[in-house]
Amino acid sequence: LLIFCVIEMKYMAIIIQARNSANNASLTQEDLRRQITLLHLKFYGALMAAIIAFWYMGQSNRSLYVLLLYSFWVPQIILNIITESRKPMHPYYVYGMSITRSVAPMYVFAVPNNFLKEVNPDFPTEPKMCQMLILWIVIQTAILFAQSKYG
């Protein structure tokens, strides 16, 4: 999952570079480097904060915490509302990202004999939380498609 996040951050850096060149922005190489550095800083800061928060308070509210962590389409939904964009992403991208991002928690929380059972035999399987997570991802995806269809 961490390697996937790093690859996705590289993709986001490429998007920033493309947006700046498409907007004919007169940004210097130093300004572009600063934007990419701030993006990486925000990402890794949020990742570390999420890991620390899960370590200290996520055990008691695991289901709610996982749902909050997997609200990955919410920023895009808000951006679509603010910018009034109709089709910001290709449907295959939305489907692909939704499915690939849900594989890890489904494995960890739904498969009874996953690798975490070797490390911590008391690690629970939570099928109800998996159902809630799938429903939450489907709701986010449906809102994205409704935004692209109805504006």
Side-chain angles (χ1 to χ4, degrees):
L1 185 63
L2 189 60
I3 293 173
F4 181 73
C5 292
V6 170
I7 292 170
E8 191 169 305
M9 285 304 297
K10 179 67 176 168
Y11 181 64
M12 293 300 295
I14 291 169
I15 289 173
I16 287 175
Q17 290 174 341
R19 279 187 180 170
N20 286 332
S21 65
N23 292 337
N24 293 329
S26 59
L27 293 175
T28 64
Q29 194 68 17
E30 186 63 31
D31 292 335
L32 187 60
R33 193 172 296 129
R34 188 174 294 120
Q35 280 185 349
I36 293 172
T37 302
L38 282 174
L39 177 69
H40 279 85
L41 181 67
K42 289 176 187 177
F43 171 75
Y44 287 113
L47 182 65
M48 290 306 295
I51 290 171
I52 291 170
F54 184 70
W55 184 263
Y56 286 108
M57 54 187 199
Q59 298 299 327
S60 59
N61 301 321
R62 182 181 295 124
S63 297
L64 177 65
Y65 194 75
V66 169
L67 288 175
L68 284 175
L69 283 179
Y70 279 85
S71 299
F72 49 83
W73 288 126
V74 172
Q76 182 65 46
I77 292 168
I78 293 170
L79 183 68
N80 290 351
I81 293 169
I82 292 170
T83 61
E84 297 178 5
S85 59
R86 288 207 56 171
K87 292 193 177 193
M89 293 178 287
H90 196 278
Y92 291 154
Y93 176 77
V94 175
Y95 288 137
M97 292 306 286
S98 296
I99 291 169
T100 56
R101 287 182 178 179
S102 64
V103 168
M106 291 304 121
Y107 174 76
V108 169
F109 293 112
V111 176
N113 295 322
N114 62 40
F115 71 93
L116 289 175
K117 292 287 187 179
E118 298 294 324
V119 178
N120 183 6
D122 297 330
F123 194 83
T125 55
E126 298 183 29
K128 184 173 180 166
M129 196 258 317
C130 291
Q131 293 169 353
M132 290 186 328
L133 182 63
I134 290 293
L135 180 64
W136 177 234
I137 292 172
V138 167
I139 289 170
Q140 293 176 76
T141 307
I143 291 172
L144 274 177
F145 285 123
Q147 285 180 332
S148 67
K149 186 174 183 180
Y150 300 114

